[in-house]
Amino acid sequence: MIRDPNEIIEEEKKIRILIAGYPGIGKSTLALSAPKPLHIDVDFGIDRVEPRHRMPYIQPQSYDEVLEDLVPENIKDFETLVFDTGGKLFSLMSLWAIKKDPKYGQRDGSLSLRGYGFVGKEFVRLMDYCFYELKKHIVMVFHAIEEKDGDNTRLRIKVEGQTKNNVWEPMDLGGFVEMYGNERTIGFSNCERYFAKGTRGIKGVIRIPNLTPTSPNNFLTNLFAQYNALAAKEVEQLSEEQAAYEEALAKGHEVIDTMVDLKTANAAIAKMGAINHSLTSRQELGAVFNAKIAELGLVYDKKAKKYKSAPTETAKETPEKAPKEAPAEEAAEGVE
Amino acid sequence: MGKRFLMTHSLLSSWMWAMKENPFEDMTSEKDSLADFLSTLRREPIPTTEAMQKGIDFEDLVTDIMLGRGDASDKWYEAAYEVASIVKGGQLQYRAAKEIEVRGRKILLYGRLDALKAGTVYDVKFSGSYDKGKYIDSTQHPTYLTIVPEAKQFTYLVSNGSQVWKETYLREETADIIPTIEDFLDWLVQQELIATYEEYWLAK
């Protein structure tokens, strides 16, 4: 069914989030604050979660077990799948891949280059299956490690090889949990410390409220609700901008299509100037306009404020800079 | 109109690399990052390395696919097709410039964008050793987002020939490039290299 993009209903969107942080900072408890979670405790670390915050869990010992458990009838009562940790999930996937085909492994038991590629693709397939077919929120927990980069110390997710790139790709959000004084925070914006991922208005560093004996563990539940509320607003705003952008491009192309000679090119200047632009339509149309001017062999006459035919002997030289009202982008054509 | 001087992200990047890699190196030794920077400052032609050639070939393939003449048997075809699908409809190799004033000098920030489409600046990278977050310190997205103020975000489209990854930086989380340019000009003055810059980077 082909749908109108302006009718996107974002309220129902499931969310994929990556949570990273040092061991012991409370990532698992935070992950279990998502709506109706199933704790896929690959790390066997549920004993480190306070009993009152524990949720139904499985402790698969192989990737085959993960796949066997994640079928619709088993998980119909859950809204979120919490993979804890993603690094350990990759380890299980690696063993599964090598067992499936020895060429995915090396003599020392680690993955071969081909194996990394295979496991990366399997990760994306699993995420797509959980998200699109099972229709669940996904929380992927990772340990963070420090890496020196010149004078900076950066936080990275702990996972082997290029697979970390595959991990980030499907995520809607990715945040690093850190302590600031006595406060636990999660940061979703890129900064000197880490590369994170914030979308739909979820950005910056957000304080995670301390859990008291009576307070509910619902930080991610609230965050997901906020995400969807912001998404609805953002989609509305973006669709307006996108519509204005497409309208500007359509009008601009219509004007440019009328340019066939000097007279029509000069007539187009005012018409191009009258277009209401959105996003980068001004620059994009400017490039098309300039290409057409060049194709017609015209140059801009600053004094007369209009285009003229390029003298034959200088036709190949750089044209003069066009006026601000004309959509020209030839300001920097090299150096003397 | 007074003199204007070109400034590109490549020049800034070369300088920052020199500072980061080898801050105490003298300027006479060969084949170090500072010597490379001085070569860039003097706008000397840079020999095309194998890695650079791969990047050029990959970008050419993306362009060919967009023009409907891509070779489907090319080993990078699938990845290049994915990149082409993302930038299709946008302006390719879009040249943009913006005049700013830094330390009393008129600076023409200049960039050649791989693609510009609907508020996003795209840059295509070919990298055999990509890690998410690789470009976090790059001067490219801060520079280009300054040059194109209407753009909302900058996305690196990174491929190793078989896979494609997106690394996006939003305007609001991108550092201002001006302080870096200020530091750069100050350093050129201190090192008595400002005349070299003004000689080789004078804009029309």
Side-chain angles (χ1 to χ4, degrees), chain A residues 22 33 59 73-74 83 91 102 160 178 191 214 219 313:
Chain A
Y22 292 123
S33 69
Q59 288 185 322
E73 59 269 29
N74 288 350
F83 293 91
S91 301
E160 286 186 33
E178 289 192 282
C191 63
T214 54
F219 179 83
E313 64 273 21

Side-chain angles (χ1 to χ4, degrees), chain A residues 53-87:
Chain A
H53 298 312
R54 290 177 191 168
M55 290 290 166
Y57 68 99
I58 56 172
Q59 288 185 322
Q61 298 190 42
S62 69
Y63 185 57
D64 279 323
E65 269 188 55
V66 176
L67 295 177
E68 281 163 21
D69 283 334
L70 295 185
V71 291
E73 59 269 29
N74 288 350
I75 57 167
K76 62 180 186 298
D77 295 331
F78 301 99
E79 289 182 27
T80 306
L81 300 176
V82 175
F83 293 91
D84 185 7
T85 62

Side-chain angles (χ1 to χ4, degrees), chain A residues 264-277:
Chain A
T264 48
N266 279 319
I269 296 176
K271 290 176 190 168
M272 292 296 284
I275 292 171
N276 289 322
H277 288 287

Side-chain angles (χ1 to χ4, degrees), chain A residues 149 154 156 165-166 169 190-191 194-195 241 245 279-280 283-284 287-288 329 332-333 335-336, chain B residues 6 20 91 94-95 110 116 118-119 130-132 136-137 150 152 163 165-167 169 172-173 202:
Chain A
D149 184 11
R154 298 209 192 288
R156 300 257 190 202
N165 302 325
N166 299 90
E169 218 53 34
N190 296 320
C191 63
Y194 46 72
F195 178 85
E241 282 178 343
Y245 164 80
L279 299 172
T280 47
Q283 289 86 348
E284 292 176 56
V288 182
E329 297 293 339
E333 280 294 322
V335 292
E336 287 176 341
Chain B
L6 277 182
K20 184 177 170 183
Q91 282 302 313
Y94 177 78
R95 288 170 299 176
Y110 175 75
L116 178 66
Y130 173 66
D131 265 349
K132 204 79 178 175
I136 200 163
D137 286 333
E150 292 85 351
K152 293 193 156 196
Q163 289 182 281
W165 300 283
K166 283 183 266 184
E167 189 169 310
Y169 293 90
E172 58 262 34
E173 67 191 14
L202 183 64

Side-chain angles (χ1 to χ4, degrees), chain A residues 16-22 25-34 80-87 138-144 156-158 167-168 171 173-178 184-188 196-197 208 219-221 223-224:
Chain A
R16 293 156 290 190
I17 183 172
L18 183 156
I19 294 173
Y22 292 123
I25 203 165
K27 299 184 295 296
S28 298
T29 305
L30 181 65
L32 295 174
S33 69
T80 306
L81 300 176
V82 175
F83 293 91
D84 185 7
T85 62
I138 297 168
V139 181
M140 188 64 64
V141 179
F142 278 95
H143 290 307
R156 300 257 190 202
I157 60 170
K158 188 180 176 187
V167 168
W168 281 100
M171 296 295 157
L173 297 168
F176 280 83
V177 181
E178 289 192 282
R184 228 161 31 118
T185 62
I186 182 164
F188 290 105
K197 192 169 185 178
I208 302 167
F219 179 83
L220 286 186
T221 301
L223 187 79
F224 289 2

